[in-house]
Amino acid sequence: MNKVSLLIGPVNQLVTAKSIPWRHGDSVIIIEEAGVAVNGHEVIDVGPWREISRRYEGKCRVSAEDSLVTAGLIDPHTHLLFAGSREDELELKLQGTPYEEILKRGGGIYRTVNETVNASDEELRGILLSRLLEVAKYGTTTIEVKSGYGISPKEEIRLLRIINDAAGEALIDVIPTYLIHVPPRNMNRVEYINAVTASLDQAKELAKFIDVFCDDGAFTVNETRAILNEASLRGFKLRLHADEIAYIGCSDLVNEFNLTSLDHLLNMPEQNAKAMALRGSTATLLPATVLSLMSSKRPPVKALKDSGVPIALGSDFSPNTWVLNMQYVMELATYLLGMTPLEVLMASTVNAAYSLGFRDRGILQPGYLANMVIWSIPNYKWLSYELGRNKALMTISRGIILESKPTNPNVTKECS
Ligand code: NIG
Ligand code: FE
């Protein structure tokens, strides 16, 4: 008998991708009556429970006979760090005022910038940590967090430092991104881009990615190109808010740069799907923002799938799209974007890992990080079938059980 730190089983069903990324049509691993052996941070074995239970003895054992187990959820696109809220803009939107118009009037992002730059480090750190605790309750084990509500490089660096500090304390993994969000209202745009460029060396140790909001009302293609050029020279990984509000050519930049991910894509021309596939870029889709923008547009899901582009899902949590619950995003992906429960699971685990440039998570196989969710549903088809209930019973991050709702009598946890 091998001794391990955590033994999970029997569970009703285990579903995981075989490798990173998962493309439409790839087969997956489905094990009924499954078990998982974890030692420390790592998964060391996965298989039918009758075999796993013969091979391993766990210091702790979780049994969840009626449950599904999957890799932990990953949210690869969030604006988690800001102060204040914008609930009053909802009424403006309902009256038909477009997002770009609210922004032009100094509302939207600009308003959140005001509130954020006036908040202290301590306040912002507290806000961020409480949001990080909340997302784990819904199964998120790795999350990207963008800066972007500072605008001035000095403020953006402050926000990145706060993200890094919180990352050191959080129970889940936090991936910082420096987002060049919107041009300042009272500064020459060329001067601003020069100032951003000058801040990149300082940002290097604070952010894995550079992201630019390339769109009508934000940065032009030329401005975005200038920023991405400087960022790639300094070895940053790149991601892009592209074609969210309108198509002004932003997604075409996939032909010029190694973009780890292009996000939103509500107005992307279908032919760019082929270029994305060729370059190995992820399409990170954000269906909650389709709702919050009250948009009738949809990303070209079929073209992306047919071209073999890995599709990921993200929450886009922001004052415009207040959603910390990745399960809700998964449900919306089915009902708004036509993605099947299996596609949705792959998009929020293995492909979300790919979207963040990871090869060590998103899959439940030996050698991968022991990030998992035990779900209070019998099989993966329930993932986006059942709406509106928190279906995560237990969130496990790096082999540690974070969230446990022992209300289900068929789930037990025992430690010796
Ligand atoms: O991804 N598009 C830019 N940024 C966010 C919204 C931010 C905001 O409205 O505060 C987004 O939708
Ligand atoms: Fe966003």
Side-chain angles (χ1 to χ4, degrees), residues 225-245:
R225 181 183 289 115
I227 297 166
L228 293 181
N229 253 326
E230 296 295 336
S232 70
L233 282 175
R234 287 166 179 80
F236 283 98
K237 284 184 178 288
L238 309 176
R239 47 199 317 113
L240 206 59
H241 278 70
D243 308 353
E244 174 186 0
I245 308 297

Side-chain angles (χ1 to χ4, degrees), residues 77-79 146 179 181 211 241 244 264 286 289 316 318:
H77 183 138
T78 83
H79 306 258
K146 301 176 198 294
L179 169 63
H181 209 169
D211 186 350
H241 278 70
E244 174 186 0
H264 284 289
L286 311 161
T289 307
D316 202 21
S318 83

